[in-house]
Amino acid sequence: MNLWNRRNRTVIVGALPVVVLLSLLGLPTVPGTDIDLTVPYAAEGKGPTFNTLGEVDGKEVVEIKGAEVDKTSGNLNMTTVAVRTHMTLAQALTRWATTDDTMVPLENIFPTGVSQEEVEERNAVAFTSSASNATISAMNYLNKPIESVVVDVTPDSPADKALKVNDIVTAVDDEKVATPSDLADIIQHKNPGDTVTLTVTRQAKDERIPVTLGERKVDGDAVTFLGVTTLAQPAGDITVNYNLSDVGGPSAGLMFSLAVVDKLSPGELTGGKFVAGTGTISADGSVGPIGGITHKIAAAKEAGAEVFLVPEGNCTEAMTAKNKPTLLKVDSLDTAVKQLKDYAAGKDVQTCG
């Protein structure tokens, strides 16, 4: 009897650390301490999709004013990847076992030395740049002029008190500026301490404003600094706004641009069909690859898409997606428009694979 009791006590005492460990698997920290029990991995999976021809929270996702907007139908859905971090081991194992999420090292999401706030800021900047490129590429496709408008002035920067929000920058030292990249290229070819003359349109009047350029560090390198954020907009009375919050990164560019083209040109790009897609877009209309393509395809299929626009550089990976819709290969805005028109008309199209 005493031997049995000793064996029981041994088993019970030996099992206690296992029980304690299993109970801790579901906690983010050790109770009463700051010891972090979360895993150094992030889960990437299906994110929400948004119809760029539709509305979110009562606002048009792509809002165009100052021009007659053509009737549209169907869907042009942009797609996203949901990223989950700060998971306990139990949560990570559950997602790995019960979902199609991909587990990636946390440093893939938050690089070493970069805070979550900095990553979110970079994603916001990438989204803004993507929206600007979407407008530029759409206006170029439609043969409409564009201009570069100031949307933010950095406090205590060279531009502070010289430029104002809504100023339209048309030239630097009489060198023409049409796009934000024009302005950035000109400034980066100047030196800190140089005084430049900016020509701006302010409240319908042209002004010439001298500004002495400064310097700042970007990734450890010194660069010439003006201190303004500009966006491309159609010249004249047309304005384009992208009304999505809590979405970052550059991958909505193609779908934004297609929505602008669809709204400002006769006919319907979708032919009334449910189209989804992804891809970065540059000012010249080139479409670039993105991450998480299989998750985006899965989200689009689940939402009801029958067609998915895939950047050419993502085609190989896209073909591994399960239960996929028709995958149309695109490398530019021109190609995407042609592919959609051909698909809607029942003509031959270029697919992945």
Side-chain angles (χ1 to χ4, degrees), residues 6-350:
R6 285 199 301 272
R7 285 178 177 173
N8 274 344
R9 286 197 298 272
T10 301
V11 171
I12 292 171
V13 172
L16 280 175
V18 177
V19 173
V20 172
L21 175 60
L22 289 174
S23 67
L24 289 176
L25 292 181
L27 298 176
T29 59
V30 175
T33 76
D34 293 327
I35 299 175
D36 189 358
L37 293 177
T38 58
V39 296
Y41 288 90
E44 294 183 338
K46 294 178 294 186
T49 76
F50 303 93
N51 183 11
T52 59
L53 298 177
E55 295 184 351
V56 170
D57 298 329
K59 292 184 177 181
E60 292 180 273
V61 174
V62 178
E63 181 184 36
I64 299 176
K65 296 180 179 180
E68 183 176 351
V69 176
D70 194 56
K71 179 183 176 182
T72 62
S73 68
N75 288 56
L76 281 173
N77 278 41
M78 58 162 285
T79 50
T80 66
V81 173
V83 179
R84 296 170 178 83
T85 60
H86 204 64
M87 296 181 294
T88 65
L89 180 57
Q91 291 169 331
L93 289 173
T94 299
R95 297 211 67 82
W96 175 78
T98 63
T99 74
D100 290 326
D101 284 8
T102 303
M103 296 295 165
V104 298
L106 196 58
E107 57 264 28
N108 286 14
I109 309 299
F110 304 116
T112 303
V114 180
S115 68
Q116 181 173 342
E117 290 74 19
E118 289 174 316
V119 170
E120 291 173 352
E121 182 179 350
R122 290 181 182 182
N123 284 338
V125 170
F127 181 86
T128 300
S129 176
S130 175
S132 179
N133 284 343
T135 300
I136 296 170
S137 57
M139 293 301 108
N140 287 339
Y141 179 86
L142 297 167
N143 294 315
K144 295 181 182 292
I146 54 178
E147 59 192 14
S148 189
V149 61
V150 175
V151 295
D152 187 57
V153 180
T154 305
D156 300 320
S157 69
D160 194 16
K161 298 182 175 60
L163 297 183
K164 298 180 179 180
V165 171
N166 293 326
D167 282 349
I168 297 169
V169 182
T170 59
V172 179
D173 289 341
D174 296 322
E175 188 173 352
K176 184 180 178 180
V177 169
T179 68
S181 60
D182 290 342
L183 177 60
D185 289 344
I186 294 171
I187 294 301
Q188 291 313 306
H189 282 88
K190 305 291 184 180
N191 297 312
D194 287 351
T195 297
V196 297
T197 300
L198 301 175
T199 305
V200 304
T201 301
R202 179 180 296 168
Q203 297 180 345
K205 295 181 179 179
D206 290 339
E207 297 188 25
R208 291 172 62 84
I209 303 171
V211 177
T212 300
L213 302 174
E215 178 182 282
R216 68 171 178 174
K217 297 286 186 179
V218 175
D219 296 328
D221 296 326
V223 298
T224 308
F225 180 49
L226 174 60
V228 296
T229 301
T230 58
L231 284 180
Q233 67 178 21
D237 296 329
I238 300 176
T239 60
V240 180
N241 295 311
Y242 302 94
N243 296 312
L244 274 183
S245 58
D246 301 324
V247 176
S251 64
L254 171 62
M255 304 311 290
F256 278 160
S257 194
L258 285 170
V260 175
V261 170
D262 200 4
K263 289 188 171 191
L264 290 178
S265 60
E268 298 180 352
L269 290 184
T270 66
K273 301 181 186 302
F274 193 135
V275 177
T278 188
T280 66
I281 199 158
S282 61
D284 67 4
S286 300
V287 173
I290 49 77
I293 186 71
T294 57
H295 298 306
K296 292 182 176 183
I297 291 172
K301 182 66 175 179
E302 187 175 279
E306 65 173 272
V307 183
F308 194 95
L309 299 175
V310 181
E312 185 175 21
N314 286 125
C315 265
T316 300
E317 183 183 359
M319 289 300 294
T320 67
K322 303 173 184 176
N323 191 30
K324 47 189 173 288
T326 300
L327 304 181
L328 300 185
K329 178 170 61 175
V330 298
D331 60 6
S332 67
L333 177 60
D334 285 4
T335 301
V337 172
K338 183 178 186 304
Q339 287 270 66
L340 287 179
K341 288 182 176 179
D342 287 348
Y343 185 85
K347 297 180 179 180
D348 290 340
V349 292
Q350 293 183 328

